[in-house]
Amino acid sequence: MPLYEYRDGGLVAVPRLNPGPDLYESEIEQLAWDDLEAFTGETLFPVARQARIFGGGIPDILALDEAGRVVVIEIKRDIDRAQLAQCLEYAGWARLTSLDEIASLYKRTDQGLEHQGVEAFFRDWQDFTETTTPITINPQPRLFLIAREFEGRTRSALDFLKENSLPVIVIPVTIYQDRSGRRIIDIESETETLLHATSTPTPNPQPVTVNGRRVTVSDLIEAGLLEPDEDVEWVRPRLGEHYTARIQADGSFLLPDQSVYQSPSVAAIRAANLVSADGWFAWRVIRLGGTRLDELRRQYVAQSLKKADTEMSPDQVAS
């Protein structure tokens, strides 16, 4: 889909950038590693980049979801059949791996602090899952493929895998660059239907979307569910920790140190200096007596569903 900028009373096309494979893969991989939620639509526990796994192979990104499923994320400018086969081999490894092996691969650096090794993994994994006993590996891995384009027969093979309920998620990503050198990343969503938000992990979690577009904090403000300059807090009684933030009019989060983050999860991660956190479930709205952002998100989805139903014609309802 063409991308335009509204300038001087008219539309100016923003050219699509066509970087080489190395540039595309290194830049998008770094962006995905820094903010997995922006690409996948869910909060994941990042394990490692470019880790050498048992039996050979180096997946681009390894992560875990809240249910203990291994998430393999591969970033390629263009994915052909050979690369798809390699990705499926990584998924095969993920079915057989153990929590101890995943722990041995753990390596991250956040805000200048290194998190690596088995001890750091189990500490951070327990923080992420908020459990005292580590959740073990679920032998149902998931595969995310991020690419600019998918070769025709490869796309057909991916459709076949998804039709047979295999956990493969395709995320087309396009880079645009305007005349000033500013880059815009278009991350497409696979999901084209209204989905209810859920407070518990599902077998194949999907981003919370309305008409194929992920629900954002800005949507909640526009719908009147949140006010501009809304104060939120995150209380972690087990650890005796308390964090605050202010949601600004544009939906960004302002922390007490004056740093600003667009994502509720990134704001939570930076506030608590964690490896990963789900900001939609962490932050509570003080004005509303501690209502979670996720609860407001579910209200927004319910309102959108109700609105869509009322706008349907009688013939559409009958069909």
Side-chain angles (χ1 to χ4, degrees):
M1 179 182 294
L3 191 67
Y4 296 93
E5 179 182 0
Y6 182 70
R7 183 190 301 168
D8 300 326
L11 296 177
V12 179
V14 179
R16 178 177 172 178
L17 189 64
N18 293 308
D22 292 341
L23 178 61
Y24 179 94
E25 291 163 22
S26 62
E27 286 198 9
I28 298 301
E29 181 182 317
Q30 182 64 58
L31 291 171
W33 178 249
D34 290 340
D35 192 349
L36 289 173
E37 186 174 332
F39 285 80
T40 66
E42 60 184 279
T43 303
L44 299 172
F45 179 82
V47 174
R49 288 177 62 187
Q50 299 292 323
R52 188 173 297 277
I53 61 177
F54 178 76
I58 306 176
D60 291 331
I61 294 176
L62 291 176
L64 294 171
D65 68 15
E66 293 178 342
R69 286 178 288 260
V70 177
V71 179
V72 179
I73 302 174
E74 280 293 292
I75 298 103
K76 298 288 184 287
R77 187 184 70 163
D78 309 290
I79 290 185
D80 57 24
R81 285 175 289 168
Q83 290 167 328
L84 176 58
Q86 181 187 57
C87 294
L88 293 175
E89 287 182 7
Y90 292 157
W93 161 82
R95 290 184 67 248
L96 303 174
T97 191
S98 66
L99 197 61
D100 287 336
E101 182 181 4
I102 292 293
S104 71
L105 301 173
Y106 187 53
K107 186 173 184 179
R108 281 190 59 86
T109 301
D110 293 296
Q111 297 180 299
L113 299 176
E114 285 195 347
H115 304 255
Q116 59 181 334
V118 174
E119 183 178 347
F121 169 82
F122 282 105
R123 179 196 64 224
D124 294 341
W125 178 232
Q126 287 175 255
D127 272 345
F128 176 72
T129 57
E130 296 188 343
T131 59
T132 55
T133 302
I135 294 175
T136 57
I137 295 297
N138 183 324
Q140 296 179 328
R142 301 165 62 204
L143 179 61
F144 284 83
L145 302 181
I146 299 174
R148 184 189 64 169
E149 292 180 347
F150 296 84
E151 186 263 343
R153 293 178 67 178
T154 303
R155 167 65 77 171
S156 179
L158 286 167
D159 289 342
F160 173 79
L161 294 174
K162 289 185 290 181
E163 287 167 4
N164 285 274
S165 302
L166 294 178
V168 178
I169 306 296
V170 175
I171 306 175
V173 173
T174 306
I175 306 175
Y176 296 87
Q177 183 168 301
D178 64 16
R179 290 182 293 181
S180 66
R182 184 182 59 167
R183 291 188 177 179
I184 300 169
I185 310 296
D186 181 20
I187 304 172
E188 298 182 29
S189 171
E190 263 195 341
T191 309
E192 297 298 335
T193 57
L194 289 160
L195 296 177
H196 286 284
T198 175
S199 59
T200 57
T202 60
N204 292 293
Q206 295 285 347
V208 179
T209 67
V210 172
N211 291 332
R213 187 177 62 81
R214 292 174 190 163
V215 177
T216 66
V217 174
S218 297
D219 292 326
L220 306 185
I221 295 173
E222 185 177 347
L225 296 171
L226 281 176
E227 295 180 354
D229 297 322
E230 187 84 76
D231 290 326
V232 293
E233 64 179 357
W234 179 18
V235 180
R236 305 176 72 197
R238 186 171 67 86
L239 301 176
E241 297 173 350
H242 178 263
Y243 310 102
T244 60
R246 172 162 292 183
I247 301 177
Q248 303 185 103
D250 63 355
S252 62
F253 287 69
L254 175 66
L255 298 185
D257 64 1
Q258 300 305 301
S259 58
V260 178
Y261 302 99
Q262 297 300 318
S263 161
S265 294
V266 175
I269 290 168
R270 298 306 180 213
N273 193 27
L274 295 174
V275 170
S276 188
D278 192 333
W280 287 97
F281 288 89
W283 296 115
R284 294 175 178 266
V285 182
I286 296 175
R287 175 180 60 87
L288 300 178
T291 300
R292 294 181 189 270
L293 288 182
D294 176 67
E295 295 176 61
L296 297 180
R297 180 171 59 171
R298 284 186 279 131
Q299 288 182 35
Y300 178 83
V301 173
Q303 289 177 6
S304 299
L305 282 167
K306 184 176 180 180
K307 181 179 179 181
D309 288 341
T310 58
E311 292 177 351
M312 290 177 66
S313 67
D315 290 342
Q316 289 175 313
V317 173
S319 63

